[in-house]
């Protein structure tokens, strides 16, 4: 079992609300990623970080923001949720020269 | 930029039979890693098998094996003795040190009893 955790697993929230999706890993990995994935569809990289105080936008434009104040923590924030943000959000961390580890995902529904 | 292609959006296999999922990739590099990840319905994405490009020998993990053709840039996954628990989305991925992962669009595998 990979030591990477996402909370909450499921979230239903109203339009305009601010939300933060949590992602934590206890493996000491520097590289962490956020992907957006509609159910059964491909992964889209929306943010990544190569270490503390390092954050970059990914290939898919996203209205979310991220921060990396501690190595183990990489939260994603939506300032004002919209129905178009309804999706699954996957967090991952990477162990150099081995593999990427994924969290269980957060399934977000904005109503 | 590197790309990963999975030309089979959906596949099905009879239980206990063998199925092969295709993956091709585009890169001008010679040193990289290739992966197959499995995402069961509503469950965590997990690594199935990993291949280092410098190794000529094909990776094997129990019922899962790959056919790595470096010159052809092909990396197919063979699942032998398919089980109901193998039903999932399978993602092929490319990674090079210092770069982000590149994932294919995925293949949905159904296992028929």
């Amino acid at each position: 079992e990979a030591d990477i955790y996402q909370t909450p697993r499921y979230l239903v929230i109203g339009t305009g609300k601010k939300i933060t999706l949590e992602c934590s890993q206890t493996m000491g990995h520097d590289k962490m990623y956020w992907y957006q994935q509609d159910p059964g569809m491909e992964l889209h990289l929306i943010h990544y970080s190569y270490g503390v105080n390092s954050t970059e936008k990914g290939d898919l434009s996203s209205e979310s923001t991220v921060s990396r104040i501690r190595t183990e923590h990489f939260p994603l924030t939506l300032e004002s949720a919209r129905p178009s943000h309804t999706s699954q959000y996957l967090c991952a961390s990477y162990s150099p020269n081995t593999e990427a580890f994924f969290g269980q995902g957060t399934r977000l529904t904005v109503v | 930029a590197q790309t990963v292609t999975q030309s089979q959006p959906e596949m099905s296999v009879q239980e206990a039979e063998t199925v092969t999922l295709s993956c091709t990739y585009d890169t001008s590099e010679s040193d990289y890693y290739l992966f197959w990840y499995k995402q069961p319905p509503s469950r965590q994405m997990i690594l199935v098998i990993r291949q280092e490009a410098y190794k000529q020998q094909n990776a094997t993990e129990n019922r899962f094996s790959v056919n790595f053709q470096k010159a052809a840039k092909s990396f197919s996954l063979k699942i032998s003795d398919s089980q109901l628990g193998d039903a999932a989305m399978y993602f092929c991925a490319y990674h090079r040190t210092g770069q982000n992962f590149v994932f294919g669009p995925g293949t949905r595998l159904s296992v028929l009893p």
Side-chain angles (χ1 to χ4, degrees), chain A residues 68-97:
Chain A
R68 191 85 183 277
I69 299 172
R70 304 197 316 266
T71 296
E72 61 270 23
H73 197 212
F74 190 41
L76 181 146
T77 298
L78 277 166
E79 291 291 335
S80 179
R82 295 210 300 267
S84 61
H85 296 139
T86 295
S87 189
Q88 175 166 247
Y89 294 84
L90 293 177
C91 180
S93 70
Y94 174 62
S95 175
N97 299 330

